[in-house]
Amino acid sequence: MKEILQQVKDNLERTFDHPDSNDLTSSIALLETAIEQYGDKGTMLQDAIRSLTHAQNAKNQLEYAGDISSSASFGQAYTAVNQALSSYDK
């Protein structure tokens, strides 16, 4: 599971740096599949999916406007994925 979350985190960082050439759809799908396999942390993963969806929706705004709201969406997604990742370190 840690590997999946690390992939999602890496993709989130790439998408933030290059919103025009990256997408979070595959990361969202990957986490949805992980929920089926790792139901014990399903709520945390659902929170990460929700945050990634908000970041995906803010991607175009980030690319063209680069405003605080779009950056905040990515920041919240990053925090959610980081928290999920750190929960598997314990």
Side-chain angles (χ1 to χ4, degrees):
M1 185 61 197
K2 285 176 59 174
E3 296 83 19
I4 292 171
L5 289 165
Q6 188 61 51
Q7 285 178 326
V8 169
K9 182 179 173 183
D10 293 344
N11 188 37
L12 181 63
E13 290 171 352
R14 281 191 305 274
T15 304
F16 181 77
D17 291 338
H18 306 286
D20 58 329
S21 61
N22 284 303
D23 196 306
L24 296 173
T25 305
S26 62
S27 293
I28 293 167
L30 194 59
L31 287 179
E32 287 172 341
T33 302
I35 286 176
E36 296 171 11
Q37 295 175 346
Y38 305 97
D40 62 327
K41 302 219 181 194
T43 302
M44 187 175 299
L45 295 178
Q46 288 173 346
D47 290 343
I49 289 170
R50 197 171 11 266
S51 295
L52 285 169
T53 301
H54 290 302
Q56 175 66 22
N57 293 337
K59 188 174 77 106
N60 288 337
Q61 186 178 354
L62 176 67
E63 180 180 0
Y64 296 110
D67 62 359
I68 292 173
S69 174
S70 59
S71 295
S73 293
F74 275 83
Q76 289 172 348
Y78 188 84
T79 299
V81 172
N82 250 353
Q83 287 176 343
L85 192 55
S86 67
S87 77
Y88 283 93
D89 286 337
K90 296 177 181 179

